[in-house]
Amino acid sequence: MQPNSSSSPRIRLAAGMTAVESLILLAVLGIIVLIAVPGSAMLIERHRLNTASTDLAAGLFLARAEAQKRASQVTVCPSSDGQSCRQDGDWSQGWLVYSDGNGDGEVQSIELLEAYDAPSRHVRIEAVGAAQSIASFTATGLIQRNGSNRGRFLLCHDDSTSGARAITIDPDGWVSLLPTEGRNCVSG
């Protein structure tokens, strides 16, 4: 005689972990590893600097290539809203790439090629030379500004003792990511 299924106790066997349980376990393990591994903060700082320098270099490469393709001026400028240029030269809030075909120095929506978000709030970007407040390219190279035909960006992480990242632009418009010769972010 078979027992009545409604009167017998139900036994539930666990067949394994669900996807949600697996994700929670992975998240907890990740947090433990970040806390336990010495130097993980330095790895995160280095990643943030690498990402910011790669993004800024990509914007500069795009501007140079578009200036050559369009045979007109293309500008990279600091921006905090993704639609207009900042006048204070603070590149740490993000930047825009736009084609300034009409030469008015203003960003119209039809001219906007790319908007880059701000890097980590701990990443500081300092610009000097022809790129201090904006970097403009023509088909022949970087436009001279501030008495210079070269531009340089120095990217630092505020809480870091690791080396800074540098991006240079030569008069022909060539963009290079260069070592900073031991210069670190704390000593400026």
Side-chain angles (χ1 to χ4, degrees):
M1 176 174 178
Q2 286 189 327
N4 186 346
S5 63
S6 62
S7 63
S8 67
R10 294 181 187 226
I11 298 174
R12 184 173 178 218
L13 299 175
M17 294 175 53
T18 66
V20 173
E21 291 169 332
S22 297
L23 289 174
I24 291 171
L25 178 64
L26 283 174
V28 169
L29 286 174
I31 291 169
I32 290 171
V33 167
L34 282 176
I35 292 171
V37 175
S40 62
M42 186 183 302
L43 291 173
I44 292 170
E45 291 168 7
R46 192 172 301 144
H47 172 73
R48 288 178 177 156
L49 280 173
N50 286 338
T51 300
S53 60
T54 301
D55 286 350
L56 182 54
L60 295 166
F61 283 127
L62 173 65
R64 182 177 186 271
E66 287 294 321
Q68 290 175 334
K69 182 172 87 173
R70 296 168 185 258
S72 70
Q73 182 174 317
V74 177
T75 299
V76 184
C77 67
S79 175
S80 55
D81 62 6
Q83 299 173 352
S84 62
C85 294
R86 293 176 65 102
Q87 302 303 314
D88 61 2
D90 183 1
W91 291 85
S92 301
Q93 303 299 313
W95 49 91
L96 302 175
V97 179
Y98 70 98
S99 172
D100 195 15
N102 61 8
D104 67 355
E106 298 293 322
V107 183
Q108 283 84 37
S109 60
I110 196 167
E111 296 176 323
L112 183 62
L113 299 173
E114 189 78 38
Y116 291 84
D117 291 330
S120 164
R121 63 185 170 92
H122 296 289
V123 173
R124 183 177 70 252
I125 302 172
E126 299 169 5
V128 295
Q132 186 170 348
S133 57
I134 63 171
S136 296
F137 297 84
T138 63
T140 59
L142 185 65
I143 294 177
Q144 182 172 341
R145 283 199 170 76
N146 302 317
S148 179
N149 62 353
R150 298 176 182 275
R152 180 179 172 150
F153 294 91
L154 183 67
L155 292 88
C156 294
H157 193 283
D158 288 337
D159 302 326
S160 178
T161 57
S162 62
R165 305 291 185 267
I167 300 171
T168 61
I169 311 167
D170 73 9
D172 294 328
W174 291 104
V175 178
S176 303
L177 289 121
L178 299 173
T180 57
E181 299 146 14
R183 186 172 181 184
N184 66 39
C185 295
V186 173
S187 65

